[in-house]
Amino acid sequence: QVELAESGGGSVQAGGSLRLSCALGGLISSMGCLGWFRQAPGKEREGVAGIYIGDSVTYSGDYYTDSVKGRFTITDDAANNVLYLQMNNLKFEDSGVYYCATEMSRVRCSTWNYGYWGQGTSVTVSS
């Protein structure tokens, strides 16, 4: 069983920053990656940032969707079982519900095909 609980969402003006947190529980150590997704009203859920867990020759490090590169940073505090998403220089189009997610298969991780989800936290960026 996997447990994911997001927090840290809120309202911010464009250009501002927020840090999202995701408390991790259960069989996280058996997973291949952790990530953040978002869903804006009327749009499909999209992968935002991901980070691989453990050592792998083929799949390692963190990865981002193009629209957030250079602005968002995903970090994994393994000692405290918390996943973070630092979001800087926020834009109106970053608004949406943000979900923490995890997946066992690194291959599925690489295509944003995650299997386990939190309940989400809402981010609103005003222009």
Side-chain angles (χ1 to χ4, degrees), residues 1-4 31 37 100-104 114-118:
Q1 185 174 353
V2 173
E3 300 169 357
L4 305 169
M31 294 295 160
F37 289 69
C100 175
T102 188
E103 167 58 39
M104 184 177 294
Y114 286 50
Y116 302 89
W117 301 89

Side-chain angles (χ1 to χ4, degrees), residues 35-113:
W36 289 96
F37 289 69
R38 67 186 178 193
Q39 186 167 20
K43 295 187 176 181
E44 293 186 355
R45 187 163 53 189
E46 64 169 342
V48 174
I51 187 166
Y52 291 104
I53 300 171
D55 297 326
S56 170
V57 174
T58 305
Y59 303 104
S60 64
D62 52 0
Y63 48 100
Y64 302 87
T65 192
D66 287 345
S67 63
V68 307
K69 286 180 180 177
R71 300 188 298 121
F72 289 13
T73 303
I74 185 171
T75 54
D76 173 25
D77 181 352
N80 293 300
N81 291 322
V82 182
L83 179 71
Y84 296 104
L85 183 67
Q86 178 66 43
M87 305 186 294
N88 297 328
N89 190 21
L90 282 161
K91 303 177 180 180
F92 175 76
E93 52 266 35
D94 293 320
S95 298
V97 178
Y98 281 70
Y99 299 90
C100 175
T102 188
E103 167 58 39
M104 184 177 294
S105 163
R106 287 186 172 88
V107 173
R108 290 169 61 90
C109 291
S110 68
T111 58
W112 299 107
N113 195 3

Side-chain angles (χ1 to χ4, degrees), residues 1-22:
Q1 185 174 353
V2 173
E3 300 169 357
L4 305 169
E6 305 93 336
S7 62
S11 298
V12 64
Q13 288 189 331
S17 298
L18 279 175
R19 188 176 76 161
L20 304 182
S21 301
C22 178

